[in-house]
Amino acid sequence: MKDEPDIIKILREEEKLGKLRKQSFSNELDIIQKNKEDFEEKSGEVINILKEPLTNIETEKKDETFRWIFDNYAYAITIADEKKRIIYWNKCAEDLFLMNESDLTNKDVSTFYPQEEWKKIRKEHISKKGIKFKMETKMIKKTGEIFDVEVSFYLLKGAGGKTVGSIGIIKDISKHKITKKKRNESDTMFRDIFEATSDLLLYLEKGVISNVNKATLEFSGFLKKDIVGKKFSDLIKIFPKDDLYKHNEAIESASKGVKLSDYESDLKSNDGHIYKFLFSVDYINDAKEIKGVLLRGKDITQRQRAWDELVKLEEKYRVLAETSADGVVTIDPLGRLTYVNPSFEKLCGRRKSQILATLFREYISDESIYFFQQITIDARKENEKIENIELELSHVDGNIVPIEINVAPYNKNNEFAGLVCTIRDITERRKVENELKKSERLKTEFMNIVAHELKSPVTPIKGYLDLIISDKKASEQTKSWAKVSLRNAERLLKLVNDILDVSRLDTDTMRFDMEKLDVIQILNEISEDMRPAIESKKLKLITNIPKDLPNIIGDKYRLSQVFKNLFTNAIKFTDNGSITVEAEKKKDSILIAFKDTGIGISKDELKKIFNKFYQAYTGDDRKNEGTGLGLYICKEIVQKHNGEIWVESEIGKSSQFYLKLPYLHKMVVNLNNSQNTG
Ligand code: ADP
């Protein structure tokens, strides 16, 4: 404490008396004045400015003036003693650090700074001998917030050059720093955008190109130095002469602050191709003046091409629609006709001018209008085309025209924009179909008559032949002739019956008397019926039928017909071995199999044998005994029972015919459909 300079001693004593802030600064000023020349420079600017006029003022006044300056100074001022403890500060310092008198009194100067910063200050400045310096650093507020400052230090030197204290003038530069940072960031951002954009960008200042982006360099094949510093007209290699006036006009105008509308221009690229560009020229200005002109070229070659294609395509479709033999119309979302082609005009007997903008449904017959509405709603809802719908159109003369219509929705900008309909006149087709139906009906009727006419004489013939065979008086010769005749009569009867069945099936007039059936019983009965025929061929009959199987719903007569047919075929095409009948309970159905060890069926023919009149090649005359209708009838009957029939075979070895018939509960649904009148 001995060496303490007077000023500090006085200040200390006064501080103890609590008079510090009201006390004299004359001594302080004296010290400052002693170092007069140092104040010439910035760090001491506050004192410096006011020093001269104050020198001649009496001490009292000087004091007051100084106090006023210190207190009202726009920057924070702190004065510290030789132990770096704050002994004086101004109002601004309190505001800046958010501290009050008790916070600031005797506060160690170093605690204002983050540790790192304080180290820097000591190292950079305090350790050096200078008495004043200015630096950017960081300080801490009472709240702990660290902020950017610029501090001007002035070291107060006492006798022998000893530091007796220091004055700090602190300027808050945090806002300034933030703006500067932001500015830097946005500068880099703009530079990045400038470089990254795929458009050509050229920046001109006073008519001279001062910057270009990467896209421009890549397109032109030039280096930056080839372009920068050049005038626009120097670059006719990229910007062809013919369009130069367009560019110049736009650039000139923009440099006067007037932006002209965008224009198209062709440019020649590095690879010699011509591309179409859309140019826009903008001026760049700051608050005061226009600084430069930015030229931007957007490659619209693809767009132009797509547009040309579209025009061509639309033209193509227009011609297509105009010349189409079918009617073509488009309707808007409200159902109004927006386009009709000549064929449609003809179809409904009205002129385009009469029907455009009217509702399409007005030309649909009353009978089919509901259906038509339904289709248009569906097409719109599902956003899918609906094809081959038969409706009726009402012609202006009152006639009804049968039509087939296809409806497809079309969208614009992902939104439903309406429907395109193609309409075909099917009057002729209907006529042919009706003719066909008529002739089908006639054919069936004819077949029925023929079959019945054939059947009726055969029955008595068969009866008489039976009589001859069992007549004891008839000679063996006669009996053997009668047997041959009977076999042929039976074949004829089978053929007639098969033809009748086929015609019933084809016209959907076969009668099915559906009832609950016990499959075990039917199979056992038929097996027994077949036994003599099997044994006469010295074949073995194997039956594999479980005692317990679920019932099915079916027509007993027709199912028996199927089983018999499969049995008969098995016997017919087997010369050695066995015939096996099996039944098995499956998940929802009964599986029945007829297996033989006969001649088998070739792979090719497996698919065909269920066709009408198909007989596989057997290499002998066995097929003469059949009609080629049996399996077709079987398949149809099984399908009427909701069942399936298929065959597996190995040629020369065996054949297996399988039937799958669903259980009772599954059948009920189909009962009504199957109960046709015969
Ligand atoms: P068909 O009355 O001529 O027997 P089908 O429709 O019943 O007529 O049979 C068609 C053809 O399928 C037969 O001609 C025969 O070639 C072949 N076929 C049917 N069943 C068998 C079988 N079990 N073994 C070998 N071939 C068979």
Side-chain angles (χ1 to χ4, degrees):
M1 282 286 208
K2 251 193 224 161
D3 302 328
E4 216 167 45
D6 291 347
I7 170 190
I8 307 298
K9 244 184 227 163
I10 297 162
L11 286 170
R12 276 216 183 290
E13 273 161 18
E14 281 172 348
E15 181 196 334
K16 273 176 211 148
L17 294 169
K19 288 195 281 182
L20 179 67
R21 301 208 65 200
K22 296 179 198 101
Q23 266 311 314
S24 158
F25 282 88
S26 51
N27 289 327
E28 209 177 329
L29 191 66
D30 286 342
I31 295 175
I32 293 167
Q33 277 179 327
K34 272 180 211 152
N35 298 290
K36 195 180 169 198
E37 55 288 11
D38 294 330
F39 291 105
E40 304 299 334
E41 288 183 41
K42 274 187 189 162
S43 340
E45 60 195 310
V46 56
I47 299 148
N48 196 21
I49 294 160
L50 290 147
K51 174 179 52 100
E52 285 305 329
L54 288 177
T55 26
N56 301 322
I57 297 173
E58 32 178 314
T59 313
E60 275 289 303
K61 282 263 160 52
K62 264 189 215 164
D63 245 10
E64 214 176 286
T65 318
F66 262 101
R67 179 180 308 286
W68 190 89
I69 294 166
F70 271 63
D71 280 345
N72 292 289
Y73 197 53
Y75 300 137
I77 304 174
T78 56
I79 300 176
D81 64 13
E82 91 286 5
K83 290 201 171 141
K84 300 182 192 70
R85 283 176 304 212
I86 299 290
I87 50 168
Y88 186 72
W89 61 91
N90 67 351
K91 176 81 174 57
C92 187
E94 289 184 2
D95 293 344
L96 186 63
F97 294 106
L98 305 168
M99 292 178 183
N100 57 25
E101 198 174 325
S102 65
D103 297 324
L104 284 161
T105 310
N106 266 339
K107 186 172 167 68
D108 189 324
V109 172
S110 67
T111 62
F112 275 115
Y113 302 89
Q115 260 180 9
E116 280 306 302
E117 293 297 316
W118 181 245
K119 261 188 217 161
K120 244 193 267 172
I121 293 169
R122 287 179 63 90
K123 201 167 147 206
E124 295 285 314
H125 302 284
I126 299 182
S127 61
K128 287 174 191 163
K129 291 246 160 89
I131 59 159
K132 59 188 168 59
F133 54 87
K134 187 174 174 177
M135 65 182 293
E136 279 187 15
T137 175
K138 288 179 194 302
M139 293 185 88
I140 312 169
K141 295 193 187 209
K142 188 180 177 181
T143 52
E145 183 195 332
I146 294 171
F147 63 112
D148 291 293
V149 291
E150 183 192 87
V151 190
S152 302
F153 293 98
Y154 181 80
L155 303 183
L156 300 168
K157 300 283 181 184
K162 205 165 181 294
T163 303
V164 294
S166 63
I167 301 177
I169 300 173
I170 303 144
K171 202 163 139 188
D172 178 1
I173 55 163
S174 51
K175 281 208 188 83
H176 167 74
K177 273 248 161 152
I178 288 167
T179 344
K180 205 169 145 190
K181 197 173 153 222
K182 281 210 176 125
R183 219 197 125 109
N184 279 341
E185 275 170 8
S186 78
D187 275 0
T188 21
M189 195 170 85
F190 281 115
R191 211 173 20 249
D192 288 348
I193 294 170
F194 185 79
E195 285 303 340
T197 179
S198 58
D199 293 347
L200 310 186
L201 293 177
L202 294 103
Y203 187 62
L204 289 95
E205 284 168 304
K206 298 196 174 76
V208 174
I209 298 165
S210 67
N211 202 357
V212 292
N213 70 341
K214 227 164 83 191
T216 311
L217 298 177
E218 275 168 10
F219 180 83
S220 63
F222 282 139
L223 295 173
K224 210 166 194 163
K225 66 175 172 50
D226 299 330
I227 301 184
V228 169
K230 297 263 165 63
K231 281 206 175 115
F232 215 73
S233 47
D234 296 336
L235 299 172
I236 45 171
K237 239 180 115 184
I238 340 169
F239 300 97
K241 250 193 192 143
D242 289 351
D243 283 348
L244 219 54
Y245 77 96
K246 287 190 200 170
H247 299 300
N248 283 335
E249 197 181 8
I251 293 166
E252 233 167 79
S253 176
S255 55
K256 286 176 191 147
V258 180
K259 180 180 158 44
L260 297 185
S261 51
D262 297 353
Y263 58 95
E264 285 180 14
S265 173
D266 291 345
L267 301 193
K268 200 164 166 193
S269 86
N270 187 18
D271 57 18
H273 286 98
I274 302 287
Y275 291 83
K276 195 168 269 312
F277 276 82
L278 182 71
F279 277 97
S280 66
V281 182
D282 287 277
Y283 55 88
I284 309 289
N285 59 336
D286 62 12
K288 283 179 245 147
E289 52 174 355
I290 290 167
K291 300 190 80 181
V293 167
L294 183 70
L295 194 90
R296 189 173 59 138
K298 195 178 185 60
D299 183 356
I300 53 164
T301 318
Q302 293 303 334
R303 204 167 75 189
Q304 184 67 34
R305 252 183 229 152
W307 177 254
D308 290 347
E309 282 301 311
L310 201 72
V311 171
K312 265 191 236 158
L313 207 69
E314 274 190 355
E315 178 62 16
K316 232 186 267 175
Y317 283 125
R318 204 184 55 76
V319 173
L320 213 68
E322 287 290 303
T323 55
S324 164
D326 289 339
V328 178
V329 304
T330 59
I331 55 179
D332 68 9
L334 296 174
R336 294 173 304 205
L337 289 161
T338 46
Y339 169 80
V340 301
N341 74 340
S343 293
F344 183 77
E345 288 180 290
K346 228 185 272 169
L347 254 174
C348 69
R350 295 166 177 95
R351 302 296 307 274
K352 191 191 250 180
S353 52
Q354 296 172 284
I355 51 179
L356 277 182
T358 61
L359 292 171
F360 184 30
R361 66 160 187 265
E362 285 175 22
Y363 312 106
I364 303 285
S365 81
D366 292 348
E367 300 287 296
S368 47
I369 200 149
Y370 174 74
F371 196 28
F372 169 73
Q373 294 282 62
Q374 209 53 48
I375 299 160
T376 53
I377 291 169
D378 284 355
R380 180 180 183 161
K381 207 164 75 190
E382 306 295 331
N383 197 22
E384 249 176 35
K385 65 173 176 222
I386 297 180
E387 288 175 321
N388 307 335
I389 303 296
E390 292 190 8
L391 298 175
E392 290 166 343
L393 205 70
S394 65
H395 193 271
V396 72
D397 61 14
N399 281 340
I400 295 293
V401 185
I403 54 163
E404 185 183 84
I405 186 169
N406 290 344
V407 177
Y410 70 93
N411 298 331
K412 248 184 209 163
N413 304 328
N414 286 331
E415 243 178 67
F416 177 72
L419 298 169
V420 185
C421 310
T422 57
I423 301 124
R424 176 163 295 179
D425 182 352
I426 54 166
T427 315
E428 285 308 309
R429 195 168 87 194
R430 277 275 170 90
K431 264 190 210 156
V432 174
E433 276 169 6
N434 287 341
E435 286 298 318
L436 213 68
K437 268 188 204 153
K438 216 163 100 190
S439 79
E440 274 288 315
R441 211 173 50 238
L442 282 176
K443 196 176 90 193
T444 313
E445 272 170 23
F446 171 75
M447 294 259 279
N448 265 329
I449 293 165
V450 172
H452 277 112
E453 288 307 308
L454 279 169
K455 246 172 109 174
S456 25
V458 175
T459 320
I461 292 173
K462 254 186 77 190
Y464 283 112
L465 289 172
D466 275 335
L467 273 179
I468 294 170
I469 292 163
S470 55
D471 188 358
K472 283 182 187 134
K473 281 181 255 165
S475 70
E476 277 311 303
Q477 182 69 51
T478 314
K479 275 186 189 176
S480 106
W481 286 335
K483 272 182 192 163
V484 175
S485 301
L486 182 64
R487 233 182 19 245
N488 281 299
E490 275 169 348
R491 264 189 65 199
L492 183 63
L493 203 60
K494 183 171 178 339
L495 177 69
V496 171
N497 280 332
D498 280 359
I499 289 173
L500 270 174
D501 279 349
V502 168
S503 98
R504 283 184 192 123
L505 284 165
D506 287 354
T507 53
D508 217 6
T509 52
M510 185 177 275
R511 187 187 170 91
F512 287 92
D513 290 322
M514 295 303 207
E515 56 179 331
K516 212 155 108 182
L517 295 180
D518 179 359
V519 186
I520 303 171
Q521 192 199 345
I522 301 173
L523 284 175
N524 282 331
E525 275 173 18
I526 293 175
S527 303
E528 284 318 306
D529 287 350
M530 290 292 161
R531 193 178 286 279
I534 294 167
E535 284 172 356
S536 76
K537 275 191 90 176
K538 301 205 163 55
L539 301 172
K540 207 174 151 199
L541 172 66
I542 305 166
T543 52
N544 222 336
I545 303 160
K547 293 215 161 57
D548 184 28
L549 275 180
N551 285 324
I552 63 159
I553 288 268
D555 180 313
K556 188 175 179 185
Y557 172 74
R558 291 298 173 189
L559 281 183
S560 302
Q561 184 184 346
V562 172
F563 299 158
K564 263 185 220 159
N565 203 318
L566 298 175
F567 241 130
T568 317
N569 280 349
I571 300 166
K572 186 157 82 180
F573 296 104
T574 309
D575 298 326
N576 300 298
S578 60
I579 314 283
T580 310
V581 187
E582 287 175 354
E584 198 187 329
K585 185 181 159 186
K586 290 279 177 194
K587 197 169 158 249
D588 316 294
S589 55
I590 295 174
L591 183 69
I592 301 164
F594 294 87
K595 300 177 174 177
D596 63 54
T597 55
I599 61 169
I601 305 156
S602 74
K603 260 196 189 142
D604 263 5
E605 294 182 303
L606 279 178
K607 288 172 231 146
K608 301 178 199 159
I609 56 167
F610 290 100
N611 293 348
K612 238 186 261 181
F613 296 112
Y614 191 83
Q615 293 184 311
Y617 175 73
T618 50
D620 52 38
D621 63 356
R622 267 185 263 227
K623 66 178 167 197
N624 295 336
E625 292 169 28
T627 59
L629 290 171
L631 288 179
Y632 171 77
I633 296 168
C634 288
K635 183 189 74 184
E636 292 292 311
I637 293 174
V638 169
Q639 282 174 355
K640 288 277 187 251
H641 284 76
N642 265 352
E644 280 173 62
I645 183 168
W646 71 98
V647 60
E648 289 167 14
S649 178
E650 199 178 329
I651 187 93
K653 261 194 160 174
S654 64
S655 303
Q656 301 93 37
F657 283 82
Y658 293 98
L659 285 174
K660 212 159 116 184
L661 294 168
Y663 293 167
L664 214 151
H665 62 278
K666 282 263 178 170
M667 293 290 301
V668 179
V669 188
N670 210 32
L671 260 183
N672 296 334
N673 304 342
S674 307
Q675 220 140 17
N676 295 310
T677 44

